[in-house]
Amino acid sequence: MGNREDLIDGAKRCLYAKGYARTTIRDITAAAGDVGPAAVGYHFGSKEALLNEALSQAARDWAEELTQALAAVPVDPGADSLQRFETAWAQIIKSFEAHRPLWAATFDALGRSAHADQVRRHLAAGLEQARLGLADVLGGLGPDHPDAWLVGGFYEALLTGVMAQYLVDPGRAPSSHDLATALAVITAPRPTARPPMSVRDVPEERPS
């Protein structure tokens, strides 16, 4: 009935070349080495299930590659949290540029999720894992930490937003330095606002 891994590899190539919505079973079986269409149903049940699995595997491969890249970056013991944040995001953005077709396919799948419940459920499960993984890799918080889910959600929101900007307008998308500078501005203490002046605060004019 065909080779399961060949179908997954073929589906990945189709995702990168044509996106999620435009890929057909014929495209996948041809990319897998002319495997018979019945093999898709035998191994996965549907084209969508096969594409979901291929997209998940590609995302896991990217996450593993990114984790290794971040671990290989020398750590400056004198660096503050913002400097470490900037260093990490420099690696993430570099990874975006190397895996642009993966993120284009991911956003294509996100667009389909509003009208395809199977796709939505699959993406939701992957999102939950991604949040905890990002909290661990970028925030140093293990899955049992009480704030891991919240911190992971922040990083996932930032990741998705930056990724979208690089896909749409890479020339104006924020750099790692831009992100660190923006975070410093957002978290900087603000001076206490002076209350608005009331009528009683206005000095009376004395007649000359």
Side-chain angles (χ1 to χ4, degrees):
M1 294 299 294
N3 187 283
R4 188 176 188 276
E5 293 305 316
D6 287 342
L7 286 169
I8 292 175
D9 289 342
K12 287 179 185 177
R13 289 193 289 273
C14 291
L15 284 169
Y16 299 158
K18 302 187 70 173
Y20 192 102
R22 295 177 59 202
T23 294
T24 66
I25 288 181
R26 186 185 297 274
D27 294 329
I28 296 170
T29 55
D34 290 320
V35 176
V40 174
Y42 177 79
H43 288 291
F44 299 96
S46 68
K47 180 193 76 171
E48 288 74 18
L50 168 54
L51 288 174
N52 292 341
E53 178 61 27
L55 195 59
S56 291
Q57 281 200 17
R60 288 195 296 269
D61 291 344
W62 170 79
E64 183 177 345
E65 179 182 313
L66 177 62
T67 300
Q68 293 174 353
L70 290 171
V73 175
V75 178
D76 181 358
D80 61 24
S81 58
L82 279 175
Q83 290 171 324
R84 292 194 295 272
F85 177 93
E86 181 175 343
T87 299
W89 276 93
Q91 291 297 318
I92 294 170
I93 291 171
K94 182 179 178 181
S95 179
F96 282 169
E97 296 166 351
H99 295 276
R100 183 183 178 90
L102 169 61
W103 302 119
T106 300
F107 274 86
D108 198 5
L110 286 172
R112 292 274 295 171
S113 66
H115 307 287
D117 195 52
Q118 181 185 17
V119 178
R120 184 194 60 75
R121 290 196 306 269
H122 188 84
L123 289 173
L127 187 62
E128 186 73 12
Q129 294 178 355
R131 290 178 74 145
L132 296 176
L134 289 168
D136 187 13
V137 172
L138 298 178
L141 305 180
D144 296 328
H145 193 282
D147 294 325
W149 196 79
L150 293 175
V151 172
F154 167 78
Y155 279 121
E156 180 63 39
L158 191 57
L159 183 76
T160 304
V162 173
M163 187 193 312
Q165 292 182 64
Y166 269 89
L167 287 173
V168 174
D169 191 3
R172 292 177 58 82
S175 67
S176 58
H177 180 69
D178 293 335
L179 294 172
T181 301
L183 187 59
V185 172
I186 292 168
T187 57
R190 294 285 190 273
T192 303
R194 182 178 177 180
M197 185 176 291
S198 69
V199 175
R200 285 176 295 182
D201 296 325
V202 178
E204 295 182 7
E205 291 187 7
R206 296 174 178 263
S208 54

